[in-house]
Amino acid sequence: KSIQQVTQSMEEISTMSSRLFSVSKEQASSARNIVDAVDNIKAMALAMVAAAQRPVVVLGVGARHLSGPVRDLLRGTDAPVLTTYRAKGLVPDAWPNNAGMVSGATMEAPILGAADLIVFIGMDTVELFPGSWPYPAPVVAFAAWPEDSQYAPLACEVVGDLELMIAQLAGIWPATAWEHGAGRAHFDR
């Protein structure tokens, strides 16, 4: 084809795609509002984590394929980390912040009850025993899929690329007021 034919074909494609993807000003404004709302929710969730003094992390099945980023995020922090049975092994048992498993029963009550923020990463509450959520700390969730259960009332939920969210968390992860080894002390109880 000549350059003129290619240019003409490109113009035709451009015209067709603009018809296919044209949206009204109202639709574009609505889409921008949705994107802005999602960005605001993510910013609020990250701000809550950054401000936490005593966060507790709960790792679930959705994080199990991200052991490298999860370990990079949590290595060296004093924030206690609980895992569901399907996420066990994401945090080595020997780490001082490993607080053991979360089941939805009572074994995790002392550590979750002492938290000022509970951070779900890849958590699916189907992994927990049915019951009510007795902990007063707000729950912020980061996951690849939305949580449709009302098991734990979420103050904020961010759904998307979990690996990207973990990297964003690593950039703002707080210095905590937890004593070094608080997770391990709970684990050894």
Side-chain angles (χ1 to χ4, degrees):
K1 288 186 171 183
S2 70
I3 292 178
Q4 184 179 14
Q5 289 172 319
V6 171
T7 303
Q8 184 178 358
S9 295
M10 289 174 62
E11 287 172 7
E12 289 170 2
I13 291 169
S14 176
T15 302
M16 286 177 14
S17 66
S18 68
R19 279 189 229 130
L20 285 172
F21 297 107
S22 67
V23 294
S24 69
K25 287 183 183 179
E26 293 81 20
Q27 290 170 318
S29 176
S30 178
R32 273 193 299 278
N33 289 342
I34 292 169
V35 169
D36 289 346
V38 169
D39 288 344
N40 289 340
I41 290 168
K42 187 190 313 184
M44 183 173 77
L46 292 172
M48 290 175 74
V49 171
Q53 295 294 304
R54 295 176 64 84
V56 172
V57 177
V58 179
L59 298 172
V61 64
R64 72 176 176 206
H65 67 287
L66 297 169
S67 62
V70 165
R71 287 179 178 190
D72 289 345
L73 169 66
L74 300 173
R75 181 182 291 111
T77 181
D78 288 326
V81 180
L82 293 163
T83 63
T84 64
Y85 68 96
R86 297 203 52 207
K88 184 150 175 46
L90 276 175
V91 174
D93 284 347
W95 279 15
N97 57 345
N98 185 338
M101 292 184 56
V102 61
S103 64
T106 58
M107 66 183 178
E108 63 271 7
I111 203 83
L112 288 174
D116 67 349
L117 182 71
I118 299 168
V119 182
F120 283 179
I121 299 177
M123 182 65 182
D124 188 335
T125 57
V126 74
E127 296 180 85
L128 302 175
F129 294 132
S132 61
W133 185 258
Y135 308 108
V139 179
V140 175
F142 298 90
W145 59 82
E147 177 62 47
D148 15 346
S149 159
Q150 297 300 313
Y151 184 84
L154 302 178
C156 200
E157 179 178 37
V158 183
V159 177
D161 181 334
L162 190 54
E163 186 170 6
L164 177 63
M165 288 185 269
I166 291 170
Q168 291 170 329
L169 284 166
I172 58 91
W173 195 257
T176 73
W178 288 104
E179 289 184 28
H180 183 72
R184 186 73 210 179
H186 173 77
F187 183 88
D188 289 340
R189 293 173 47 141

